[in-house]
Amino acid sequence: MDFELSEERQMLKDTADRMIREQYPIETRHAATGSEDGFNREIWAQFCELGLVGALIGPDHGGFGGTGEDVALVFEALGRGIVVEPFLPTLLASIPLAAHGQSELIEAAMEGRMLLAFAQTEPDAYYTPTHVETQAERAGDHWELTGAKAVVVNGATADLIVVTARTSGGPTDEAGLGCFVVTPGSPGVEITGHKSIDGPHVAEIHLTKAQAEPLGTPGSDWPLIERTLAAGTLAVSAEAIGAMEAAKDQTLAYLKDRKQFGKPIGANQVLQHRMVDLVMELEQARSAVMLAANTLEADRLTRETNISAAKNLVGRAGRLVAEEAIQMHGGVAMTWEWPLPHFAKRIVMIDHLFGDTDHHLARFAELTRETADV
């Protein structure tokens, strides 16, 4: 496997790192999460102008990326600043839109003229992606959706929401699932936004015979939804790698600067050993994410197996990095003003997005059995 970035991707990485380093200090993030929108629209426009959103979109729809490597590269950079601007919902919504030829909507989102959201998770679904109780029914010449969606990232600020709903089958069946477009503010759409514990804003959405536009043939979109969720899982896994790297760097700097009894506390061999363990776990998780990124366009079993392996390792390593970084900082790491606790919260909460460590361990075992049967 070639680990070297192409010239174009290296330029993209350098651009993202420089902007986040120079224009996205923790104070900027605090101001964004404390605002009504939950992000800074001016900074979002800058990200769009620099091409970071375009890197998530394939060339057929106006972008210049869209591969697993592009997604991982962008989100790892975002993780180093725990950026709260709506990259994740834009990525998730753009995949079904692209699959059904909605290039104009994607280009509007890529240029910052439209905000997208993707509503998949439901209150009773836990981590089961096929658990969709929201019903889609034909009503004359249009479709209507009735149901509830939970923890929709940036759902309260979106101009357009891609909603998964069921046209037939039981609550957890793969068959009968479809993607529909819903416009916030239309009759039957009730959206309640709130701030999550780690900063980003999310929304609860209640639909009551809300008019919706189907994407493609209603009821046949499960493979597309699964592929969308795989891309989202890769994205947050890469974001966690960036956040862990930032937490590691902050901890290492603290061990060098903080002095006790006339010498840096990093001279303590026990702390050195703990730091080495932290770095080893981080690098192992990074390798798993790289493999998942390189196989995002592979066949289903290869893609899903590597995605679950990466998410499991990221969850395990993330908890270790978050806990060790806080412990090696001491009491200062529990203060709001210090950047580290905000990174730690985001790392831990990422474990609960798209399925936690235990969920993906069980899923990895199941997928491995399927591979053996093939």
Side-chain angles (χ1 to χ4, degrees):
M1 184 183 294
D2 184 6
F3 294 102
E4 293 294 327
L5 293 176
S6 66
E7 183 178 351
E8 293 79 9
R9 286 196 176 111
Q10 186 62 55
M11 290 176 60
L12 177 66
K13 179 182 183 302
D14 294 342
T15 299
D17 287 343
R18 182 167 58 253
M19 178 174 177
I20 292 167
R21 183 175 59 251
E22 295 177 357
Q23 300 187 43
Y24 211 90
I26 195 66
E27 294 78 14
T28 298
R29 184 181 190 269
H30 288 339
T33 60
S35 68
E36 183 178 356
D37 288 339
F39 67 96
N40 186 309
R41 289 180 182 261
E42 292 183 4
I43 290 178
W44 175 242
Q46 292 181 51
F47 280 134
C48 293
E49 186 177 349
L50 286 173
L52 297 187
V53 182
L56 306 177
I57 310 298
D60 293 343
H61 303 281
F64 56 89
T67 69
E69 294 171 275
D70 297 313
V71 170
L73 186 151
V74 169
F75 275 86
E76 185 175 338
L78 299 176
R80 285 191 278 272
I82 46 176
V83 172
V84 293
E85 276 58 42
F87 281 91
L88 181 61
T90 301
L91 169 68
L92 292 171
S94 68
I95 294 174
L97 289 174
H100 294 297
Q102 300 294 322
S103 296
E104 291 185 6
L105 295 176
I106 294 173
E107 289 179 10
M110 190 170 57
E111 295 169 3
R113 295 183 285 111
M114 174 179 286
L115 295 173
L116 303 176
F118 182 73
Q120 157 70 11
T121 308
E122 299 199 350
D124 297 326
Y126 191 54
Y127 293 135
T128 305
T130 56
H131 189 123
V132 175
E133 297 184 36
T134 299
Q135 296 295 314
E137 296 180 346
R138 192 69 187 247
D141 61 349
H142 65 274
W143 286 82
E144 292 180 344
L145 305 187
T146 299
K149 295 293 181 178
V151 200
V152 179
V153 182
N154 292 101
T157 55
D159 301 308
L160 181 149
I161 304 174
V162 177
V163 180
T164 59
R166 181 173 296 285
T167 61
S168 62
T172 60
D173 290 347
E174 294 179 3
L177 292 177
C179 293
F180 298 80
V181 172
V182 170
T183 303
S186 58
V189 181
E190 181 184 347
I191 301 176
T192 304
H194 60 91
K195 182 180 178 181
S196 63
I197 191 171
D198 56 328
H201 285 209
V202 297
E204 312 301 309
I205 301 177
H206 294 272
L207 305 168
T208 306
K209 294 186 177 181
Q211 188 167 331
E213 186 72 26
L215 291 173
T217 303
S220 60
D221 274 336
W222 166 244
L224 173 60
I225 294 169
E226 187 177 43
R227 194 163 72 246
T228 301
L229 297 176
T233 306
L234 170 64
V236 297
S237 297
E239 181 189 346
I241 295 296
M244 283 190 273
E245 186 175 32
K248 178 260 293 181
D249 290 342
Q250 292 172 39
T251 304
L252 186 59
Y254 185 78
L255 294 181
K256 292 178 178 179
D257 293 341
R258 177 76 167 90
K259 292 184 177 180
Q260 269 188 340
F261 308 111
K263 63 179 181 180
I265 61 173
N268 186 306
Q269 195 173 53
V270 172
L271 295 182
Q272 292 176 8
H273 289 172
R274 291 172 67 177
M275 197 70 197
V276 169
D277 290 341
L278 183 155
V279 172
M280 289 176 61
E281 291 294 326
L282 168 57
E283 292 307 314
Q284 183 180 8
R286 188 196 305 276
S287 296
V289 171
M290 292 172 68
L291 178 60
N294 277 277
T295 56
L296 187 64
E297 292 81 35
D299 63 275
R300 176 190 175 270
L301 278 178
T302 300
R303 179 191 71 213
E304 297 299 324
T305 301
N306 290 337
I307 286 289
S308 282
K311 190 62 162 61
N312 174 267
L313 281 170
V314 164
R316 287 163 44 196
R319 181 170 294 277
L320 174 71
V321 171
E323 291 176 351
E324 287 288 82
I326 291 219
Q327 288 180 15
M328 284 191 274
H329 269 79
V332 70
M334 301 301 291
T335 61
W336 178 267
E337 293 78 11
W338 205 259
L340 181 67
H342 303 284
F343 282 84
K345 278 194 293 186
R346 181 59 181 165
I347 291 167
V348 171
M349 289 308 297
I350 283 176
D351 185 38
H352 299 281
L353 294 177
F354 305 103
D356 64 9
T357 303
D358 292 337
H359 170 81
H360 280 284
L361 178 61
R363 188 167 185 265
F364 177 81
E366 180 183 345
L367 289 164
T368 302
R369 286 193 294 270
E370 288 184 37
T371 304
D373 292 339
V374 173

